[in-house]
């Protein structure tokens, strides 16, 4: 998995615009480093998430892609990609009820405009897991 994670990170850093591309590149680079030290796939991905949060500053509940990615990785620990996809979708959908974004581009938008709209980064993560499942 080491080389795959690093290759995905490199590709995202070169092709995906905005902070999401940078953060996902950090995620996959850190996951690759963790995999090279012998961690399992899920442990490696969680290490990537921890590094992305450390660099990006977002946490669960901040109305970002973390709100879909963190529960998806927790569910992935069971080894079931369908469970991970369901958890990602539920996490993304919860962002529509969050009226305050503490990180990311949504932090510049007022509560009324956020209400009822899923965070775009969380939506992207949910769609990724749905496609993989």
């Amino acid at each position: 998995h080491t080389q795959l994670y690093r290759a995905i990170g490199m590709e995202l850093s070169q092709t995906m615009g905005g902070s999401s591309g940078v953060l996902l590149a950090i995620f996959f680079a850190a996951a690759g480093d963790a995999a090279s030290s012998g961690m399992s796939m899920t442990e490696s991905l969680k290490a990537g998430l921890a590094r992305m949060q450390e660099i990006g500053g977002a946490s669960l509940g901040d109305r970002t892609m973390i709100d879909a990615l963190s529960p998806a990785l927790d569910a992935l620990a069971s080894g079931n990609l369908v469970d991970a996809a369901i958890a990602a979708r539920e996490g993304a959908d919860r962002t529509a009820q969050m009226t305050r974004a503490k990180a990311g581009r949504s932090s510049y938008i007022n509560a009324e405009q956020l209400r009822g709209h899923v965070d775009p980064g969380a939506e992207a993560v949910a769609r990724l897991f749905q496609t993989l499942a």
Side-chain angles (χ1 to χ4, degrees):
H1 293 119
T2 300
Q3 295 304 323
L4 175 62
Y5 295 149
R6 289 179 179 160
I8 292 170
M10 184 64 72
E11 181 67 22
L12 289 173
S13 72
Q14 295 174 355
T15 60
M16 188 174 186
S19 58
S20 293
V22 172
L23 290 168
L24 288 171
I26 290 166
F27 169 78
F28 282 107
D33 291 345
S36 72
S37 70
M39 288 186 177
S40 71
M41 179 185 71
T42 302
E43 291 171 331
S44 297
L45 294 172
K46 285 188 174 192
L49 174 62
R51 183 72 175 137
M52 182 173 69
Q53 288 180 273
E54 180 183 323
I55 299 291
S59 298
L60 194 61
D62 284 349
R63 199 181 195 283
T64 67
M65 72 172 73
I66 304 294
D67 292 299
L69 187 55
S70 181
L73 295 182
D74 287 343
L76 191 60
S78 72
N80 188 330
L81 203 48
V82 172
D83 289 344
I86 291 167
R89 170 51 53 208
E90 290 172 352
D93 288 349
R94 276 192 297 274
T95 66
Q97 308 313 312
M98 297 176 185
T99 56
R100 182 155 184 254
K102 298 176 188 162
R105 211 168 271 147
S106 293
S107 64
Y108 301 104
I109 300 173
N110 72 44
E112 198 54 44
Q113 292 172 311
L114 293 176
R115 186 174 288 113
H117 299 281
V118 173
D119 177 76
E123 179 65 25
V125 168
R127 288 185 187 195
L128 170 67
F129 275 93
Q130 286 173 320
T131 301
L132 292 173

